[in-house]
Amino acid sequence: MLNRLRLDDLLRWRQQTSRKPLLIDGARQVGKTFLVERIFGPGNFRSVHSLNFRREPDLCSLFADSLDPRQIVERIELAVDSSIDLERDLIFFDEVGDCQRTLDSLKYFD
């Protein structure tokens, strides 16, 4: 039931014409990552590009020089070795709380 409610929230966010970054907050080990990477993402986006800041702390360096979204997306493309279409792809920052600079950058994304 809870997963269905969260999925409905994500689907409403997906339908917005101008999507801002979305933060999913909740207790650990309740299925947030599973919901995004396995259920919501694949069914609604061409690709899901996941960056886990706990597993790969060096990813924080992608945000060190600039908070400009275009530059950040270019660096992410290099890190994941894939092009990203912001209209058709989902960028998922997992464990984003482990990298304050990444959280700071979210306010600049349109």
Side-chain angles (χ1 to χ4, degrees):
M1 175 76 150
L2 183 59
N3 274 346
R4 180 64 193 173
L5 292 173
R6 298 295 70 94
L7 180 57
D8 289 345
D9 291 341
L10 291 171
L11 292 170
R12 275 191 296 280
W13 172 81
R14 173 71 168 113
Q15 295 304 317
Q16 295 175 6
T17 55
S18 178
R19 289 189 305 273
K20 295 283 187 178
L22 176 69
L23 292 174
I24 302 172
D25 193 21
R28 294 192 51 72
Q29 302 296 315
V30 296
K32 297 180 301 291
T33 298
F34 182 84
L35 179 63
V36 171
E37 290 182 339
R38 306 295 173 135
I39 298 172
F40 171 68
N44 292 281
F45 294 91
R46 178 187 71 162
S47 295
V48 178
H49 306 278
S50 293
L51 290 87
N52 186 310
F53 292 93
R54 180 152 301 148
R55 256 189 284 135
E56 299 178 69
D58 290 345
L59 291 171
C60 287
S61 67
L62 300 174
F63 302 81
D65 295 332
S66 172
L67 294 179
D68 178 82
R70 286 178 301 244
Q71 291 179 19
I72 291 170
V73 170
E74 288 172 4
R75 288 188 204 115
I76 292 171
E77 288 176 323
L78 290 172
V80 300
D81 193 28
S82 180
S83 65
I84 296 173
D85 179 339
L86 295 176
E87 296 296 319
R88 299 172 50 205
D89 295 352
L90 177 66
I91 302 172
F92 177 51
F93 297 153
D94 201 5
E95 302 292 352
V96 70
D98 287 2
C99 184
Q100 182 61 46
R101 186 85 169 155
T102 303
L103 281 170
D104 294 341
S105 77
L106 297 180
K107 64 184 117 188
Y108 300 102
F109 280 81
D110 294 336

